[in-house]
Amino acid sequence: MARNIQSLERAAAMLRLLAGGERRLGLSDIASTLGLAKGTAHGILRTLQQEGFVEQDDASGRYQLGAELLRLGNSYLDVHELRARALVWTDDLARSSGESVYLGVLHQQGVLIVHHVFRPDDSRQVLEVGAMHPLHSTALGKVLSAYDPVAHSEVSEAERKAFTPRTVTGASEFEDLLDLTRARGWGSDVEETWEGVASVAAPIHDRRRLPVGAVGITGAVERVCADGELRSDLVAAVRDCARAVSRDLGALRRF
């Protein structure tokens, strides 16, 4: 069996470390966290910097991810069939709902956001493509957990953290939520992940009728809900979007 190349493993670990932080990291921080000698860490960082994968702040000397990773990531997303098929439909959903639209897939015990359409107003918003959302509390995550056996296994074995007082963490209660999601064909999150925020999502299937992702809208509770319930027109719009993307992926059955 071929051996892994140690330097590439270390470079990958370094990129993941920089991606996981909310601030720039210094050489000492990187070396100590990864258990590397400073000289070794500096050599890898210098190479990554030359290739554009890492940038160094001139003032502080600290490191952060470089623009080349964004270019490569966008290239991946451009050829990602799910995202490509969903572009038009998610734009339409954002316009009709007036809310932000997210397209998510299962990745490493969470929901990876592969496409994000901003809420169509003039408010300041942050692009969340590449962000990881929890499986157990978000509408996208519940849909994936309800329809994808792998996601269900992941969420069943993982710790279900209580983000708000509304987060469902108990095993039996969570299974009841998944049963409800499958029965009605869509998932919800009303202040279970973020207080004051509500979401609704529906599954996307491919030509083999397998769940390949989920699409949903997210917005302030007062806009997404009415009389304590998710607005039926928004639920219908999300489901219509999911069906449209599924049809474009070759799904013949109406989900």
Side-chain angles (χ1 to χ4, degrees):
M1 181 180 295
R3 293 182 179 179
N4 292 341
I5 301 175
Q6 188 180 59
S7 59
L8 292 180
E9 289 181 331
R10 289 172 171 175
M14 203 168 284
L15 292 174
R16 292 191 185 97
L17 176 63
L18 291 171
E22 297 181 357
R23 57 186 177 84
R24 298 183 179 95
L25 296 176
L27 174 60
S28 296
D29 297 325
I30 295 171
S32 61
T33 300
L34 298 180
L36 300 174
K38 282 188 178 180
T40 301
H42 184 257
I44 296 173
L45 285 167
R46 186 174 62 248
T47 302
L48 291 173
Q49 184 178 0
Q50 290 171 350
E51 296 298 327
F53 297 137
V54 165
E55 295 175 357
Q56 185 178 27
D57 181 68
D58 292 335
S60 66
R62 292 176 175 268
Y63 295 89
Q64 64 184 17
L65 294 180
E68 181 65 11
L69 282 174
L70 177 62
R71 186 189 70 80
L72 291 177
N74 285 335
S75 176
Y76 163 75
L77 293 176
D78 286 342
V79 300
H80 194 294
E81 185 180 10
L82 172 60
R83 179 179 182 272
R85 297 289 186 180
L87 289 176
V88 172
W89 301 111
T90 50
D91 283 348
D92 287 346
L93 178 58
R95 283 193 294 268
S96 65
S97 67
E99 301 296 343
S100 300
V101 177
Y102 295 89
L103 184 69
V105 298
L106 175 66
H107 181 68
Q108 294 182 350
Q109 297 184 328
V111 183
L112 173 65
I113 304 302
V114 296
H115 186 51
H116 174 197
V117 184
F118 282 165
R119 184 172 63 254
D121 59 20
D122 295 328
S123 62
R124 183 178 179 181
Q125 300 172 63
V126 177
L127 186 66
E128 291 196 46
V129 172
M132 292 291 293
H133 289 187
L135 274 175
H136 69 284
S137 61
T138 61
L140 291 171
K142 290 175 190 173
V143 165
L144 292 173
S145 300
Y147 286 90
D148 185 340
V150 176
H152 183 267
S153 177
E154 295 283 4
V155 77
S156 297
E157 296 174 2
E159 177 188 3
R160 289 179 291 276
K161 179 181 177 180
F163 296 108
T164 76
R166 292 175 175 264
T167 309
V168 175
T169 58
S172 60
E173 293 87 349
F174 184 71
E175 288 299 328
D176 289 342
L177 271 181
L178 298 187
D179 288 340
L180 177 62
T181 298
R182 283 186 289 266
R184 63 189 183 184
W186 53 275
S188 65
D189 167 10
V190 180
E191 297 189 284
E192 293 180 52
T193 309
W194 301 281
E195 292 186 353
V197 177
S199 305
V200 57
I204 296 172
H205 297 80
D206 66 6
R207 60 185 63 86
R208 299 164 297 172
R209 299 183 179 179
L210 296 176
V212 293
V215 63
I217 61 169
T218 297
V221 170
E222 58 267 25
R223 296 195 308 267
V224 178
C225 296
D227 299 323
E229 300 290 337
L230 286 161
R231 287 169 44 193
S232 59
D233 60 318
L234 295 182
V235 173
V238 170
R239 297 193 70 189
D240 286 344
C241 178
R243 292 185 184 114
V245 179
S246 296
R247 286 195 298 270
D248 278 2
L249 287 170
L252 300 178
R253 176 180 169 185
R254 186 176 179 82
F255 291 98

